[in-house]
Amino acid sequence: MPDRLSVVNPVKPGERPRTPWIVGVSGASGTPYAAAVLRALLAAGESVDLVVSRASRLTLLDETGISFRDAHWRDDLRAWLSRGADGKPGTFSVNIDAVRHWSAGDLAAGPSSGSYPTRGMLIVPASTASVAGVALGLSKDLLQRAASVTLKEGRKLVVAVRETPLDGPTLRHLVTLDDAGATVVPASPAFYAGATHIQDLVDFVAGRVLDAAGVPHGLYRRWQGELGGGSDRAG
């Protein structure tokens, strides 16, 4: 039997064979985290299947002023990924040719089936509603369905939960996901890397999500076992 990662998805004429990471963006605050993860995946040469939930489109509009529309998703995605965490447009230049977008309401999409090979899935940011939906196996939209498929196929699922405080039901749902094989990564920035800008804090969380997925990146300064490194950079 071929290795799971050696299997590639069928492609349309002119497309290269691809085994993508699914990136699900839920309605929690933290769209800059998703943007940083997407940019880093593309920079690492990975292909991406993107699912933007209905609720996340409201959050994206509120946090960036960008309307994410299925019919114009390429233009909207470029505008989103070009923005820095401070909201400044044109901060980044990104090639999105390796991205395939699936509507959140399309339950017949490729990622809804286990026979559609992927490397795994990253939910960033993950709302408490999406956490509950995946933990309970509700499959109310493509994001939840793709996550359930990822778990049942034994692929990597990383859940970057962004909520505070966490109540009892959410904590129990997170334990359920951990028991099922998912990796829970709270969106909690650290300061030892010498952050001097909001983008540094965002990139740290994005980097930890990619660490959990096993994707190489250079988003933050790693701990080297020496005190003072962060303060030297900040100074």
Side-chain angles (χ1 to χ4, degrees), residues 34-35 57 59 61-63 81 93 96 107 144 155 158 214 231:
R57 298 174 193 223
T59 306
L61 179 63
D62 185 53
E63 294 184 344
L81 298 190
S93 178
I96 64 168
L107 292 179
Q144 293 182 16
R155 299 167 184 160
V158 182
S231 59

Side-chain angles (χ1 to χ4, degrees), residues 100-113:
R100 178 181 290 171
H101 168 256
W102 301 96
S103 173
D106 185 2
L107 292 179
S112 69
S113 172

Side-chain angles (χ1 to χ4, degrees), residues 21 36-37 40-41 44 121-122 156-160 183-185 188 190 192-193 202-223:
W21 284 98
V37 166
L41 284 171
M121 181 172 183
L122 316 176
K156 174 66 72 175
L157 175 64
V158 182
V159 179
T183 301
V184 177
V185 180
S188 302
Y192 62 78
V202 167
D203 284 349
F204 179 87
V205 171
R208 295 299 286 152
V209 170
L210 295 169
D211 287 345
V215 177
H217 65 87
L219 289 176
Y220 68 89
R221 183 185 69 86
R222 297 183 182 277
W223 177 249

Side-chain angles (χ1 to χ4, degrees), residues 2-3 46 65 76 79 86-87 113 117 131 138 147 154-155 185 215 223 235:
D3 179 78
E46 301 286 350
D76 297 337
D86 59 0
S113 172
V131 166
L138 298 182
R155 299 167 184 160
V185 180
V215 177
W223 177 249

